[in-house]
Amino acid sequence: MFHHVLVRRPCPAVCEGITSAPELGRPDYEKALRQHDAYIEALRRCGVEVTVLDALPEFPDSCFVEDTAVLTPNCAIISNPGAPSRQKESAYIVDAVKRFYPDSRIEYITAPGTMEGGDVMMVGNHFYIGLSARTNEEGCRQFLAALEKHGHTGSVVPLEKVLHLKTGLAYLEDNNLLVAGEFCDKEEFARFNKIEISPGESYSANCIWVNGTVLVPAGYPAAKAAIEKAGYPVIEVDTSEFRKIDGGLSCLSLRF
Ligand code: CIR
């Protein structure tokens, strides 16, 4: 069960966020705000208390608050983002995290280690961490040490193509794993009941499970049908403006 969620309002500079898909165009700020409102509303319907943090005007990608920390049942790990323009974002999550975790349970990834929360997937007490363009080997080492100190386990998954681990994976609890692209055949995930997302809908692999319900991006009918067939109630949330800068449902919140 999740009780709390942290989100951060998009700032006007969201239109300048990092993107690998400039052909999709720039986000429309007003529309991004409306989609953010609907996202918060969908989370509240799942029974969590949502804390909305103020926008950070100088950081275009700061609404993707997931990348700044990993909040586990036993500890909080403040990240050190690998994207240079995002590195200072982590400092701004600390105050919010301190409302929920004592100092003795807060750990910090430090240079030369880099790590972004989008590279971390929680499966019960175990955490998979993607070795990616944003999360380096030293970041993985520090992250695993922090997990072990607080009674969790972790393992590293080298990524080949995608930005973050959860760009192509979502754990839906009960051993059910949504998989797309390079994750469909990875040995590390052989033990899960895999729900495969077709290449044409790969963006929709970035779903989130919130207390039994799955939030799915709007506009991916095959993914929605597959998740419903697996027995989950689904809430569709339009994330078109965030998709333009490589963001999705998981990136927009910290759930704990
Ligand atoms: C970035 O490149 O950092 C942002 N434009 C997108 C971050 C997406 N975050 C995530 O997948 N956790």
Coordinates of all heavy atoms in Angstrom, one line a residue, residues 11-14 54-60 62:
C11 N 6.9 23.8 -14.3 CA 7.1 25.3 -14.4 C 7.0 25.7 -15.9 O 7.0 24.8 -16.8 CB 8.5 25.6 -13.9 SG 9.8 24.8 -14.8
P12 N 6.9 27.0 -16.2 CA 6.8 27.4 -17.6 C 7.9 26.9 -18.4 O 7.7 26.6 -19.6 CB 6.8 28.9 -17.5 CG 6.3 29.2 -16.1 CD 6.8 28.1 -15.2
A13 N 9.1 26.7 -17.9 CA 10.3 26.2 -18.6 C 10.1 24.8 -19.0 O 11.0 24.2 -19.7 CB 11.6 26.5 -17.9
V14 N 9.1 24.1 -18.6 CA 8.8 22.7 -19.0 C 8.9 22.6 -20.5 O 9.3 21.5 -21.0 CB 7.5 22.2 -18.4 CG1 6.3 22.8 -19.1 CG2 7.4 20.6 -18.4
D54 N 6.0 23.2 -4.8 CA 6.0 24.3 -5.7 C 6.9 24.1 -6.9 O 7.9 23.4 -6.8 CB 6.6 25.6 -5.0 CG 5.6 26.0 -3.9 OD1 4.4 25.7 -4.0 OD2 6.0 26.8 -3.0
A55 N 6.5 24.7 -8.0 CA 7.3 24.6 -9.2 C 8.7 25.2 -9.0 O 8.8 26.1 -8.1 CB 6.6 25.4 -10.4
L56 N 9.7 24.7 -9.7 CA 11.0 25.3 -9.6 C 11.3 25.9 -11.0 O 11.8 25.2 -11.9 CB 12.1 24.2 -9.4 CG 12.0 23.4 -8.0 CD1 13.0 22.3 -8.0 CD2 12.2 24.4 -6.9
P57 N 11.1 27.2 -11.1 CA 11.2 27.8 -12.5 C 12.5 27.7 -13.2 O 12.5 27.7 -14.4 CB 10.9 29.3 -12.2 CG 10.3 29.4 -10.8 CD 10.8 28.2 -10.1
E58 N 13.6 27.5 -12.5 CA 14.9 27.4 -13.2 C 15.2 26.0 -13.7 O 16.3 25.8 -14.3 CB 16.0 28.0 -12.4 CG 16.3 27.3 -11.1 CD 15.4 27.7 -9.9 OE1 14.2 27.9 -10.0 OE2 15.9 27.8 -8.8
F59 N 14.3 25.0 -13.4 CA 14.6 23.6 -13.8 C 13.5 23.1 -14.7 O 12.5 22.6 -14.2 CB 14.8 22.8 -12.5 CG 16.0 23.2 -11.7 CD1 15.8 23.9 -10.5 CD2 17.3 22.9 -12.1 CE1 16.9 24.3 -9.7 CE2 18.4 23.3 -11.3 CZ 18.2 24.0 -10.1
P60 N 13.8 23.1 -16.0 CA 12.7 22.7 -16.9 C 12.1 21.3 -16.6 O 10.9 21.1 -16.8 CB 13.4 22.7 -18.3 CG 14.6 23.6 -18.1 CD 15.0 23.5 -16.7
S62 N 11.9 19.7 -13.7 CA 11.8 19.4 -12.3 C 10.4 18.8 -11.9 O 10.2 18.3 -10.8 CB 12.0 20.6 -11.5 OG 11.2 21.7 -12.0

